[in-house]
PDB file of all heavy atoms in Angstrom:
ATOM      1  N   PRO C 490    -158.692  79.462 103.927  1.00 96.00           N
ATOM      2  CA  PRO C 490    -157.827  78.275 104.098  1.00 96.00           C
ATOM      3  C   PRO C 490    -156.997  77.959 102.855  1.00 96.00           C
ATOM      4  O   PRO C 490    -155.840  77.531 102.969  1.00 96.00           O
ATOM      5  CB  PRO C 490    -158.807  77.141 104.395  1.00 96.00           C
ATOM      6  CG  PRO C 490    -160.113  77.761 104.687  1.00 96.00           C
ATOM      7  CD  PRO C 490    -160.095  79.196 104.239  1.00 96.00           C
ATOM      8  N   ALA C 491    -157.570  78.173 101.672  1.00 97.00           N
ATOM      9  CA  ALA C 491    -156.823  77.855 100.442  1.00 97.00           C
ATOM     10  C   ALA C 491    -155.581  78.736 100.331  1.00 97.00           C
ATOM     11  O   ALA C 491    -154.498  78.275  99.946  1.00 97.00           O
ATOM     12  CB  ALA C 491    -157.716  78.056  99.225  1.00 97.00           C
ATOM     13  N   VAL C 492    -155.736  80.005 100.692  1.00 97.00           N
ATOM     14  CA  VAL C 492    -154.607  80.939 100.610  1.00 97.00           C
ATOM     15  C   VAL C 492    -153.526  80.519 101.612  1.00 97.00           C
ATOM     16  O   VAL C 492    -152.339  80.409 101.277  1.00 97.00           O
ATOM     17  CB  VAL C 492    -155.093  82.384 100.922  1.00 97.00           C
ATOM     18  CG1 VAL C 492    -153.917  83.324 101.068  1.00 97.00           C
ATOM     19  CG2 VAL C 492    -156.050  82.858  99.837  1.00 97.00           C
ATOM     20  N   LEU C 493    -153.957  80.265 102.843  1.00 97.00           N
ATOM     21  CA  LEU C 493    -152.963  79.928 103.875  1.00 97.00           C
ATOM     22  C   LEU C 493    -152.240  78.629 103.548  1.00 97.00           C
ATOM     23  O   LEU C 493    -151.030  78.513 103.747  1.00 97.00           O
ATOM     24  CB  LEU C 493    -153.645  79.835 105.243  1.00 97.00           C
ATOM     25  CG  LEU C 493    -154.246  81.137 105.763  1.00 97.00           C
ATOM     26  CD1 LEU C 493    -154.797  80.954 107.158  1.00 97.00           C
ATOM     27  CD2 LEU C 493    -153.219  82.275 105.756  1.00 97.00           C
ATOM     28  N   ARG C 494    -152.978  77.670 103.008  1.00 97.00           N
ATOM     29  CA  ARG C 494    -152.305  76.392 102.686  1.00 97.00           C
ATOM     30  C   ARG C 494    -151.290  76.588 101.565  1.00 97.00           C
ATOM     31  O   ARG C 494    -150.203  76.023 101.608  1.00 97.00           O
ATOM     32  CB  ARG C 494    -153.345  75.333 102.303  1.00 97.00           C
ATOM     33  CG  ARG C 494    -153.986  74.749 103.556  1.00 97.00           C
ATOM     34  CD  ARG C 494    -155.139  73.822 103.243  1.00 97.00           C
ATOM     35  NE  ARG C 494    -156.160  73.986 104.278  1.00 97.00           N
ATOM     36  CZ  ARG C 494    -157.413  73.585 104.169  1.00 97.00           C
ATOM     37  NH1 ARG C 494    -157.823  72.973 103.082  1.00 97.00           N
ATOM     38  NH2 ARG C 494    -158.260  73.771 105.160  1.00 97.00           N
ATOM     39  N   LEU C 495    -151.637  77.391 100.588  1.00 98.00           N
ATOM     40  CA  LEU C 495    -150.670  77.641  99.498  1.00 98.00           C
ATOM     41  C   LEU C 495    -149.411  78.309 100.055  1.00 98.00           C
ATOM     42  O   LEU C 495    -148.289  77.921  99.731  1.00 98.00           O
ATOM     43  CB  LEU C 495    -151.294  78.523  98.411  1.00 98.00           C
ATOM     44  CG  LEU C 495    -152.285  77.850  97.464  1.00 98.00           C
ATOM     45  CD1 LEU C 495    -152.880  78.866  96.503  1.00 98.00           C
ATOM     46  CD2 LEU C 495    -151.603  76.740  96.661  1.00 98.00           C
ATOM     47  N   ILE C 496    -149.615  79.322 100.895  1.00 98.00           N
ATOM     48  CA  ILE C 496    -148.452  80.044 101.440  1.00 98.00           C
ATOM     49  C   ILE C 496    -147.587  79.081 102.270  1.00 98.00           C
ATOM     50  O   ILE C 496    -146.359  79.032 102.118  1.00 98.00           O
ATOM     51  CB  ILE C 496    -148.905  81.239 102.305  1.00 98.00           C
ATOM     52  CG1 ILE C 496    -149.638  82.259 101.442  1.00 98.00           C
ATOM     53  CG2 ILE C 496    -147.715  81.890 103.008  1.00 98.00           C
ATOM     54  CD1 ILE C 496    -150.261  83.412 102.215  1.00 98.00           C
ATOM     55  N   ALA C 497    -148.247  78.305 103.129  1.00 98.00           N
ATOM     56  CA  ALA C 497    -147.496  77.379 103.986  1.00 98.00           C
ATOM     57  C   ALA C 497    -146.731  76.366 103.137  1.00 98.00           C
ATOM     58  O   ALA C 497    -145.560  76.055 103.422  1.00 98.00           O
ATOM     59  CB  ALA C 497    -148.448  76.668 104.944  1.00 98.00           C
ATOM     60  N   ASP C 498    -147.363  75.869 102.082  1.00 98.00           N
ATOM     61  CA  ASP C 498    -146.701  74.867 101.238  1.00 98.00           C
ATOM     62  C   ASP C 498    -145.498  75.456 100.503  1.00 98.00           C
ATOM     63  O   ASP C 498    -144.467  74.802 100.350  1.00 98.00           O
ATOM     64  CB  ASP C 498    -147.690  74.291 100.218  1.00 98.00           C
ATOM     65  CG  ASP C 498    -148.713  73.380 100.901  1.00 98.00           C
ATOM     66  OD1 ASP C 498    -148.523  73.082 102.101  1.00 98.00           O
ATOM     67  OD2 ASP C 498    -149.696  72.995 100.231  1.00 98.00           O
ATOM     68  N   VAL C 499    -145.637  76.691 100.045  1.00 98.00           N
ATOM     69  CA  VAL C 499    -144.514  77.326  99.338  1.00 98.00           C
ATOM     70  C   VAL C 499    -143.335  77.498 100.302  1.00 98.00           C
ATOM     71  O   VAL C 499    -142.180  77.193  99.964  1.00 98.00           O
ATOM     72  CB  VAL C 499    -144.944  78.694  98.748  1.00 98.00           C
ATOM     73  CG1 VAL C 499    -143.731  79.467  98.239  1.00 98.00           C
ATOM     74  CG2 VAL C 499    -145.950  78.491  97.623  1.00 98.00           C
ATOM     75  N   ILE C 500    -143.631  77.972 101.503  1.00 98.00           N
ATOM     76  CA  ILE C 500    -142.548  78.177 102.490  1.00 98.00           C
ATOM     77  C   ILE C 500    -141.878  76.832 102.801  1.00 98.00           C
ATOM     78  O   ILE C 500    -140.649  76.716 102.802  1.00 98.00           O
ATOM     79  CB  ILE C 500    -143.110  78.830 103.776  1.00 98.00           C
ATOM     80  CG1 ILE C 500    -143.638  80.229 103.469  1.00 98.00           C
ATOM     81  CG2 ILE C 500    -142.033  78.881 104.869  1.00 98.00           C
ATOM     82  CD1 ILE C 500    -144.409  80.888 104.611  1.00 98.00           C
ATOM     83  N   ALA C 501    -142.715  75.811 103.012  1.00 98.00           N
ATOM     84  CA  ALA C 501    -142.154  74.500 103.356  1.00 98.00           C
ATOM     85  C   ALA C 501    -141.293  73.966 102.214  1.00 98.00           C
ATOM     86  O   ALA C 501    -140.194  73.437 102.441  1.00 98.00           O
ATOM     87  CB  ALA C 501    -143.282  73.528 103.682  1.00 98.00           C
ATOM     88  N   ALA C 502    -141.775  74.108 100.981  1.00 98.00           N
ATOM     89  CA  ALA C 502    -141.025  73.578  99.831  1.00 98.00           C
ATOM     90  C   ALA C 502    -139.681  74.285  99.695  1.00 98.00           C
ATOM     91  O   ALA C 502    -138.644  73.651  99.466  1.00 98.00           O
ATOM     92  CB  ALA C 502    -141.838  73.742  98.553  1.00 98.00           C
ATOM     93  N   ALA C 503    -139.686  75.604  99.855  1.00 98.00           N
ATOM     94  CA  ALA C 503    -138.429  76.355  99.715  1.00 98.00           C
ATOM     95  C   ALA C 503    -137.469  75.996 100.852  1.00 98.00           C
ATOM     96  O   ALA C 503    -136.280  75.757 100.623  1.00 98.00           O
ATOM     97  CB  ALA C 503    -138.713  77.853  99.713  1.00 98.00           C
ATOM     98  N   ASN C 504    -137.996  75.916 102.078  1.00 98.00           N
ATOM     99  CA  ASN C 504    -137.140  75.557 103.211  1.00 98.00           C
ATOM    100  C   ASN C 504    -136.531  74.170 103.014  1.00 98.00           C
ATOM    101  O   ASN C 504    -135.345  73.952 103.271  1.00 98.00           O
ATOM    102  CB  ASN C 504    -137.924  75.611 104.525  1.00 98.00           C
ATOM    103  CG  ASN C 504    -138.154  77.059 104.988  1.00 98.00           C
ATOM    104  OD1 ASN C 504    -137.476  77.977 104.515  1.00 98.00           O
ATOM    105  ND2 ASN C 504    -139.093  77.254 105.895  1.00 98.00           N
ATOM    106  N   ALA C 505    -137.369  73.233 102.512  1.00 98.00           N
ATOM    107  CA  ALA C 505    -136.864  71.868 102.317  1.00 98.00           C
ATOM    108  C   ALA C 505    -135.755  71.852 101.264  1.00 98.00           C
ATOM    109  O   ALA C 505    -134.824  71.066 101.338  1.00 98.00           O
ATOM    110  CB  ALA C 505    -138.006  70.951 101.900  1.00 98.00           C
ATOM    111  N   ALA C 506    -135.854  72.740 100.288  1.00 98.00           N
ATOM    112  CA  ALA C 506    -134.844  72.792  99.229  1.00 98.00           C
ATOM    113  C   ALA C 506    -133.686  73.710  99.613  1.00 98.00           C
ATOM    114  O   ALA C 506    -132.776  73.946  98.807  1.00 98.00           O
ATOM    115  CB  ALA C 506    -135.476  73.274  97.931  1.00 98.00           C
ATOM    116  N   ASN C 507    -133.761  74.254 100.814  1.00 98.00           N
ATOM    117  CA  ASN C 507    -132.696  75.152 101.282  1.00 98.00           C
ATOM    118  C   ASN C 507    -132.538  76.399 100.441  1.00 98.00           C
ATOM    119  O   ASN C 507    -131.429  76.897 100.245  1.00 98.00           O
ATOM    120  CB  ASN C 507    -131.366  74.401 101.304  1.00 98.00           C
ATOM    121  CG  ASN C 507    -130.868  74.330 102.708  1.00 98.00           C
ATOM    122  OD1 ASN C 507    -131.240  75.175 103.546  1.00 98.00           O
ATOM    123  ND2 ASN C 507    -130.034  73.338 102.979  1.00 98.00           N
ATOM    124  N   LYS C 508    -133.650  76.880  99.920  1.00 98.00           N
ATOM    125  CA  LYS C 508    -133.595  78.109  99.109  1.00 98.00           C
ATOM    126  C   LYS C 508    -134.335  79.210  99.865  1.00 98.00           C
ATOM    127  O   LYS C 508    -135.401  78.956 100.449  1.00 98.00           O
ATOM    128  CB  LYS C 508    -134.254  77.873  97.758  1.00 98.00           C
ATOM    129  CG  LYS C 508    -133.497  76.828  96.931  1.00 98.00           C
ATOM    130  CD  LYS C 508    -133.224  77.313  95.536  1.00 98.00           C
ATOM    131  CE  LYS C 508    -132.198  76.427  94.853  1.00 98.00           C
ATOM    132  NZ  LYS C 508    -132.364  76.365  93.419  1.00 98.00           N
TER     133      LYS C 508
END
Side-chain angles (χ1 to χ4, degrees):
V492 171
L493 296 184
R494 280 173 216 163
L495 284 177
I496 296 174
D498 288 351
V499 170
I500 296 171
N504 284 343
N507 243 336
K508 296 230 166 150

